[in-house]
Amino acid sequence: MTGSSFGSRWFVGVATAACLAFGGASAAQAQEGSWYIGANMPLMFIDDSDATSTTTVGPIPQFLPQPVSIDATVTTEHDTGFKFGATLGYHIDSSIRIEGELFLARADIAQITNTNIIVPGVTLGEFEVPLHPNGKGEQFGAMLNIWYDIETGSDWTPYVGAGLGLIRIDQSDLYYDQGQLAREVLDRLPVPPALANQLEVPELSDTDTAFAYQFGAGIGYALSETATLQIGYRLQALNGLEFTGTNQIASVRAETDLRMHFLEIGIRQLF
């Protein structure tokens, strides 16, 4: 089954189950001062991300009297992922609600490619180094959102909003040869071949936490006086991620941003 067909069947199945469970009754009464809980299950699409990477090797006695700096652009491609979020919200009035959200998101890493490879003072020529990763990246996030419900006088209620928060990226289940770039660059430099063969580049750190923001819009449908089914889209951005690693002969540093798109279905229940 392809990812797109699975996503379509999942989306329709959840919506159908929710409608059968709650039935299409009168509009949910979102009154001032009322609380709600909710859950959402989006599909996640992550834009290809470009990281700025710097690997510094040396000095190494008898092999490399001066350190060599290797700069590269590291492009990461992700497969379609998923997210599960839980919310607790409060209706400030009939149109404005504020909510806290906790979520877990996950996506497999499809490819990592090094391009724009530069060693200062050395002409390398154009080439790229693919790393063929295996594994996934996970996100653990907490957001504070504010939504504006556009009253229509019917069971249908469009909404728009935004949020701020923190997201922790965890790549401990991602595996690839992190020393491949340095070895291929050193093969092109006038250094002893034994250096590239024995080089141990440190692994990058697995986790980092950064500031995130999001914008979203969608439409809710009242399933009963207290329950609302919602379908929406969110654009989420994560800035300033940094991963580092060091050992006795080398150090690595990579900085990147992430931008994600979510197509979600969810439900809210007043209490």
Side-chain angles (χ1 to χ4, degrees), residues 10-11 14 39-43 82-85 263-267:
W10 163 86
F11 191 90
V14 173
N40 53 72
M41 298 174 61
L43 291 177
F82 73 90
K83 167 185 165 184
F84 177 77
L263 297 178
E264 67 179 11
I265 185 168
I267 194 164

Side-chain angles (χ1 to χ4, degrees), residues 52-95:
T52 301
S53 170
T54 300
T55 302
T56 303
V57 180
I60 304 174
Q62 299 178 349
F63 287 105
L64 199 65
Q66 299 296 326
V68 172
S69 178
I70 304 169
D71 298 324
T73 299
V74 185
T75 301
T76 302
E77 304 171 37
H78 297 78
D79 290 336
T80 300
F82 73 90
K83 167 185 165 184
F84 177 77
T87 60
L88 173 64
Y90 179 77
H91 286 273
I92 297 176
D93 58 29
S94 60
S95 296

